[in-house]
Amino acid sequence: MQGAVRSFLSHGNIVKTAVLQQLRVANPYMRPAMLSRFTTSTSSANIEEHGFESTTIDDILKAKGKSADGSWLWCTTDDTVYDAVQSMTQHNVGALVVVKPAEQNSIAGIITERDYLRKIIVQGRSSKSTKVGDIMTEENKLITVTPDTKVLRAMQLMTDNRIRHIPVIDDKGMKGMVSIGDVVRAVVSEHREELNRLNAFIQGGY
């Protein structure tokens, strides 16, 4: 997954270029000036607002919904690792936000499947007697995004740091969490919409 995402980031604009090349092949008599105007227009303010790289993390959270799996799942530092892993299994997610007891909006860290494997299974510790706070990645080591972060930026952070889950935080506290799968789906959807706009242009929709 990480390798595929890195390739996608490196070659994201190939899709648009390929479509423009197909447009030239389909209509070789189309005036170069028209193609030039179209190429320039795809980077204009109007297209930038509604085209490539416009989707934000907030859009992903809204699409997931607050009750959706992985949107707002958490445990506390005092919970056992066993209970945290049970929750992850029940909701089919790979990580939980960790909060301080009685402070749901105050993030203390994050616990992932990787933490469980490396710090419990490999070390032969008991998940029923170990607290989440003992193995979690602490807040000061977390990589986070804000609701306004663009999805491509979030994808870059996740691939560069080899992480699959990233908490979303604003000035009021914890907003939720997104996975690499959420981000990839959003980017693919955005590129599909852009292709639809290019297709509409080819067919005279503009």
Side-chain angles (χ1 to χ4, degrees):
M1 170 67 87
Q2 296 286 358
V5 170
R6 280 193 291 272
S7 176
F8 188 90
L9 284 169
S10 300
H11 303 90
N13 286 327
I14 289 178
V15 175
K16 184 186 292 185
T17 301
V19 172
L20 289 175
Q21 289 173 345
Q22 287 297 319
L23 187 149
R24 291 187 179 94
V25 170
N27 191 349
Y29 299 104
M30 182 175 287
R31 294 194 306 274
M34 181 180 291
L35 281 172
S36 177
R37 284 198 300 274
F38 175 67
T39 304
T40 301
S41 70
T42 58
S43 59
S44 67
N46 186 49
I47 294 297
E48 182 66 29
E49 180 182 356
H50 300 289
F52 282 113
E53 303 183 22
S54 64
T55 305
T56 65
I57 293 299
D58 191 50
D59 294 325
I60 293 179
L61 291 180
K62 288 177 180 176
K64 285 163 69 78
K66 210 168 186 182
S67 62
D69 286 353
S71 179
W72 184 228
L73 293 174
W74 53 276
C75 60
T76 75
T77 53
D78 288 344
D79 289 336
T80 66
V81 174
Y82 180 83
D83 289 336
V85 172
Q86 268 199 325
S87 180
M88 282 189 268
T89 302
Q90 178 183 348
H91 294 95
N92 194 31
V93 296
L96 296 177
V97 171
V98 183
V99 299
K100 299 173 184 176
E103 297 182 35
Q104 185 173 335
N105 285 325
S106 180
I107 185 170
I110 186 174
I111 181 172
T112 68
E113 296 168 322
R114 189 177 298 173
D115 292 323
Y116 174 65
L117 290 172
R118 291 181 175 178
K119 301 173 184 178
I120 297 294
I121 298 299
V122 172
Q123 296 181 19
R125 299 166 70 177
S126 169
S127 62
K128 292 187 176 181
S129 61
T130 304
K131 298 291 183 65
V132 168
D134 295 334
I135 71 164
M136 69 181 185
T137 299
E138 297 179 351
E139 179 188 10
N140 59 1
K141 297 179 181 178
L142 280 181
I143 296 167
T144 64
V145 293
T146 70
D148 294 332
T149 301
K150 297 294 180 65
V151 292
L152 286 181
R153 173 58 180 162
M155 183 185 286
Q156 189 72 62
L157 285 171
M158 296 170 88
T159 53
D160 287 349
N161 293 280
R162 298 178 180 273
I163 57 176
R164 293 184 296 158
H165 304 85
I166 194 164
V168 186
I169 300 175
D170 64 9
D171 55 0
K172 295 180 181 179
M174 185 72 192
K175 297 291 291 183
M177 184 161 59
V178 296
S179 69
I180 189 66
D182 297 326
V183 171
V184 169
R185 281 190 292 272
V187 172
V188 169
S189 175
E190 189 172 80
H191 280 64
R192 185 180 298 116
E193 290 173 5
E194 180 71 5
L195 285 176
N196 288 338
R197 281 188 287 273
L198 290 171
N199 188 53
F201 173 81
I202 294 170
Q203 296 179 4
Y206 282 107

